[in-house]
């Protein structure tokens, strides 16, 4: 017996869910692998820095000792013992922590063989410091007693001190300090290459599996669509016993498909905006916040003003996007009605000019009110306020620096009714006819950056059209490329005596 549609749908649905679950698991594995790779890389960077610090500290000790012997300036003597005690953990370092260099390396947990090399290097450097201390004390006229403490006063012997610091044996011992560090860095480099290859191959393996599962999901989805569509058509043909009922069913099905396409287009655009346009500004906010935190931790206050300005601009962009998304989603509810009342449009316009003032000032854009007739608009003030704000934001976004935006409010008679005509004219970049025709279509809007790289989705203008039509009004656009744009809103109104 042929499998019925419900059971067939259940089979395909179960298979697709299993495949999608597998893709989710693989995605988690990829993320965990990347996280492990980053952690491994951080550890390598830390131990490389520690090895470099050991090299630098050994070089500095030599330089300080030679400088003291040459100049007899006690400042070099203080620098020498300060560097030595910081490395041994006797006094705090620049980060405020009193910990020896080897102890800090041990916490990173590197291979024992690599740690042994750094330990050997520091041990030889410490042995060499005995020679350097002897040379500096000879330059002071101090020599060791039986307990090897420098308490015996004698003649200053600079020749002896220089022989200690510039002899072939000293140079040979210095090389023995540096050789283990060079060998360690070589091993670290090989381990880094091996680690990168390992994690890359692992990610490639998981990605291949995920791609295979994605292809299977596509194939099963296509197969289910074809099979179920064929079964549905056959069922409809069996159920329709007359041409009239068949035509009626086809007509209803066509209308439903058109509505479904519109709903799917709206849904796809909504999720596209959330997935792409919201993630971008939020990612920027996170990046700038991390940079700002690092700058503050490092006490580097350069570019702080630039970072805070970028954070402010990204916050405004995210806020605009979220407001438009929420209002647009609300507008899709057929039960939402306009709360109609009579109101003066001028306070609403001025309020929105104030809200957009900061954005306009950043681009030195002048916003002016002209030809303000005395009238009352008959509409929902909250919805119309949102319309004015979106049009103003759009005008500021696509108007270059030192541009102008003028707003005109006039009344007119049309078809026996008194209509408010509210126009917003800017000196911006303008649009061609193809762009104008796509402005208010949910299936064709795209993200376009403003003259200063401002983010946007185009959803605000869709929302404007929805709200204006909900209030029995109309919106038109007149634009020429490189010649500015005029948005005109027509709303029911009445004159004020």
């Amino acid at each position: 017996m042929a499998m019925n549609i419900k059971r067939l749908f259940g089979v395909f649905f179960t298979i697709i869910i299993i495949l999608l679950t597998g893709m989710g698991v693989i995605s988690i594995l990829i993320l965990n692998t990347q996280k492990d790779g980053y952690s491994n890389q951080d550890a390598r960077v830390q131990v490389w820095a520690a090895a470099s610090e050991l090299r630098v500290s050994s070089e500095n000790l030599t330089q300080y000792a030679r400088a003291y012997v040459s100049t007899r300036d006690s400042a070099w003597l203080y620098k020498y013992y300060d560097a030595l005690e910081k490395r041994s953990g006797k006094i705090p370092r620049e980060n405020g922590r009193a910990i020896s260099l080897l102890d800090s390396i041990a916490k990173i947990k590197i291979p024992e063989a690599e740690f042994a090399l750094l330990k050997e290097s520091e041990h030889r450097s410490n042995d060499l410091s005995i020679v350097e201390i002897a040379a500096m004390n000879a330059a002071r006229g101090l020599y060791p007693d039986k307990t090897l403490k420098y308490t015996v006063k004698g003649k200053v012997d600079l020749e002896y001190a220089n022989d200690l610091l510039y002899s072939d044996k000293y140079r040979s011992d210095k090389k023995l300090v540096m050789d283990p560090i060079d060998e360690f860095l070589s091993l670290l480099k090989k381990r880094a290459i091996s680690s990168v290859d390992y994690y890359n191959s692992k990610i490639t393996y998981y990605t291949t599996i995920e791609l295979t599962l994605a292809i299977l999901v596509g194939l099963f989805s296509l197969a289910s669509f074809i099979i179920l569509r064929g079964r549905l058509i056959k069922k409809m043909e069996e159920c329709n016993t007359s041409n009239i009922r068949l035509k009626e069913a086809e007509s209803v099905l066509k209308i439903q498909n058109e509505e479904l396409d519109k709903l799917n287009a709206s849904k796809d655009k909504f999720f596209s905006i959330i997935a792409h346009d919201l993630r971008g500004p939020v990612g920027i906010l996170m990046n700038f916040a991390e940079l700002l935190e690092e700058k503050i931790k490092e006490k580097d206050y350069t570019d702080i003003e630039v970072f805070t300005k970028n954070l402010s601009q990204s916050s405004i962009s995210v806020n605009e996007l979220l407001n438009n998304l929420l209002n647009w989603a609300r507008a899709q509810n057929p039960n939402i009605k306009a709360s109609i009342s009579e109101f003066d449009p001028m306070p609403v316009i001025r309020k929105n000019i104030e809200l957009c003032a900061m954005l306009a000032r950043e681009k030195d854009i002048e916003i002016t009110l002209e030809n303000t007739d005395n009238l009352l608009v008959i509409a929902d003030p909250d919805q119309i306020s949102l319309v004015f704000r979106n049009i103003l934001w759009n005008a500021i976004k696509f108007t270059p620096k030192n541009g102008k935006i003028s707003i005109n409010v006039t009344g007119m008679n049309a078809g026996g009714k008194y209509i408010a005509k509210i126009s917003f004219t800017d000196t911006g970049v303008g649009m061609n006819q193809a762009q104008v025709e796509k402005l208010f279509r949910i299936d064709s809007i795209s993200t376009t950056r403003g003259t200063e790289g401002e983010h946007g989705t185009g959803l605000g203008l869709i929302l404007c059209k929805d709200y204006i039509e909900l209030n029995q009004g109309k919106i038109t656009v007149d634009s020429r490329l490189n010649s500015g744009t005029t948005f005109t809103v027509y709303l029911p109104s009445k004159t004020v005596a």
Side-chain angles (χ1 to χ4, degrees):
M1 177 182 285
M3 187 180 295
N4 61 40
I5 294 176
K6 185 175 181 180
R7 289 182 61 192
L8 190 62
F9 176 81
V11 170
F12 279 117
F13 180 78
T14 301
I15 293 174
I16 291 172
I17 289 298
I18 292 173
L19 293 174
L20 289 174
T21 302
M23 289 178 64
V25 172
I26 294 298
S27 296
I28 293 173
L29 290 174
I30 291 175
L31 290 174
N32 288 337
T33 301
Q34 290 175 334
K35 183 179 178 182
D36 292 342
Y38 292 146
S39 298
N40 191 277
Q41 182 180 2
D42 288 342
R44 290 197 302 271
V45 170
Q46 292 177 31
V47 75
W48 178 87
S52 298
E53 183 181 345
L54 179 58
R55 179 195 294 274
V56 170
S57 69
S58 181
E59 291 289 353
N60 285 343
L61 290 175
T62 298
Q63 291 175 10
Y64 296 157
R66 287 176 175 176
Y68 176 74
V69 170
S70 298
T71 65
R72 307 284 301 281
D73 186 347
S74 60
W76 296 110
L77 187 65
Y78 295 143
K79 285 187 177 181
Y80 182 91
Y81 284 108
D82 182 74
L84 191 63
E85 290 179 354
K86 281 182 180 178
R87 189 174 74 178
S88 63
K90 293 180 180 178
I91 63 173
R93 298 184 178 193
E94 287 75 9
N95 60 10
R97 298 179 61 197
I99 182 172
S100 70
L101 185 59
L102 282 181
D103 286 343
S104 65
I105 296 173
K107 289 185 177 182
I108 303 174
K109 295 181 180 179
I110 62 174
E112 187 63 32
E114 295 179 12
F115 182 72
L117 289 171
L118 295 181
K119 190 174 181 180
E120 177 186 355
S121 176
E122 187 183 38
H123 178 72
R124 289 177 176 177
S125 178
N126 290 337
D127 289 343
L128 200 60
S129 68
I130 296 174
V131 177
E132 294 163 349
I133 291 171
M136 289 189 293
N137 280 308
R140 298 169 63 192
L142 294 175
Y143 298 92
D145 56 19
K146 293 180 179 180
T147 62
L148 298 180
K149 293 183 180 180
Y150 288 88
T151 59
V152 179
K153 293 184 178 181
K155 183 180 178 182
V156 172
D157 193 344
L158 293 178
E159 183 179 355
Y160 174 68
N162 281 304
D163 285 343
L164 288 177
L165 294 176
Y166 292 94
S167 66
D168 291 339
K169 184 178 185 312
Y170 181 87
R171 292 189 180 93
S172 175
D173 289 343
K174 188 71 175 180
K175 186 175 183 300
L176 292 177
V177 173
M178 298 303 170
D179 285 347
I181 297 177
D182 293 336
E183 185 179 353
F184 166 79
L185 292 176
S186 176
L187 291 175
L188 182 64
K189 181 179 179 181
K190 291 179 181 179
R191 185 159 59 89
I193 294 173
S194 176
S195 177
V196 169
D197 290 342
Y198 170 74
Y199 285 111
N200 283 343
S201 63
K202 198 172 182 181
I203 290 174
T204 300
Y205 173 71
Y206 288 143
T207 303
T208 302
I209 296 176
E210 189 170 38
L211 182 61
T212 302
L213 292 176
I215 293 172
L216 290 175
V217 169
L219 291 174
F220 274 102
S221 298
L222 180 62
S224 64
F225 172 77
I226 293 172
I227 295 173
L228 291 173
R229 182 174 179 274
R231 293 292 183 92
L232 286 171
I233 292 175
K234 183 177 180 181
K235 198 72 175 177
M236 288 173 61
E237 289 175 350
E238 292 174 355
C239 294
N240 292 324
T241 57
S242 67
N243 290 334
I244 296 176
R245 292 184 63 186
L246 179 60
K247 290 179 180 180
E248 290 176 351
E250 288 176 348
S251 177
V252 171
L253 184 60
K254 182 179 179 181
I255 293 172
Q256 290 177 342
N257 284 337
E258 289 175 354
E259 291 296 326
L260 183 60
D261 288 340
K262 291 179 181 178
L263 289 173
N264 283 336
S266 299
K267 178 198 67 176
D268 292 342
K269 187 59 187 178
F270 185 80
F271 285 113
S272 172
I273 291 169
I274 292 176
H276 182 270
D277 294 312
L278 183 57
R279 180 177 60 187
V282 170
I284 292 172
L285 276 174
M286 292 172 63
N287 289 337
F288 276 117
E290 289 176 0
L291 285 172
L292 189 59
E293 183 181 7
E294 289 178 6
K295 289 281 185 181
I296 292 172
K297 284 182 178 178
E298 296 170 0
K299 295 185 179 179
D300 180 6
Y301 300 109
T302 58
D303 300 328
I304 290 294
E305 184 178 353
V306 175
F307 287 150
T308 54
K309 181 179 178 182
N310 287 329
L311 279 171
S312 175
Q313 291 176 344
S314 296
S315 299
I316 292 171
S317 175
V318 172
N319 184 62
E320 177 194 359
L321 175 57
L322 286 174
N323 284 336
N324 282 337
L325 283 171
L326 293 173
N327 283 297
W328 179 79
R330 185 172 178 269
Q332 305 312 300
N333 187 344
N335 296 320
I336 297 297
K337 306 296 181 183
S339 182
I340 304 297
S341 64
E342 297 177 359
F343 66 96
D344 184 355
M346 298 310 301
V348 177
I349 293 174
R350 290 192 181 95
K351 176 183 176 182
N352 283 289
I353 290 176
E354 291 177 2
L355 291 175
C356 299
M358 185 181 74
L359 297 177
R361 280 196 299 270
E362 288 179 353
K363 299 175 74 174
D364 292 322
I365 295 173
E366 180 184 4
I367 303 175
T368 59
L369 275 168
E370 302 172 3
N371 301 328
T372 56
D373 286 356
N374 196 16
L375 53 79
L376 295 177
V377 170
I378 306 171
D380 186 323
D382 292 333
Q383 293 178 358
I384 298 306
S385 176
L386 188 87
V387 169
F388 292 164
R389 185 159 62 254
N390 269 291
I391 294 175
L392 271 173
W393 274 340
N394 198 68
I396 293 170
K397 175 182 173 184
F398 293 105
T399 298
K401 288 188 173 182
N402 301 310
K404 294 183 178 180
I405 300 171
S406 59
I407 304 171
N408 290 272
V409 180
T410 57
M412 58 182 288
N413 287 304
K417 296 181 180 180
Y418 194 75
I419 301 296
K421 178 184 177 183
I422 305 169
S423 63
F424 299 77
T425 302
D426 63 59
T427 59
V429 295
M431 296 174 284
N432 57 37
Q433 189 58 34
Q435 290 173 310
V436 171
E437 291 175 356
K438 294 179 179 180
L439 276 181
F440 302 112
R441 290 172 51 189
I442 186 67
D443 59 339
S444 62
I445 62 176
S446 61
T447 299
T448 306
R449 291 183 179 270
T451 58
E452 296 296 320
E454 303 98 60
H455 291 277
T457 64
L459 187 62
L461 292 178
I462 301 293
L463 184 61
C464 287
K465 183 174 182 293
D466 288 348
Y467 273 174
I468 290 171
E469 291 179 351
L470 193 63
N471 285 272
Q472 309 303 313
K474 183 177 70 172
I475 184 170
T476 62
V477 184
D478 183 21
S479 184
R480 298 290 183 276
L481 199 60
N482 301 319
S483 298
T485 302
T486 297
F487 282 87
T488 304
V489 176
Y490 299 89
L491 292 168
S493 66
K494 74 176 190 177
T495 58
V496 178

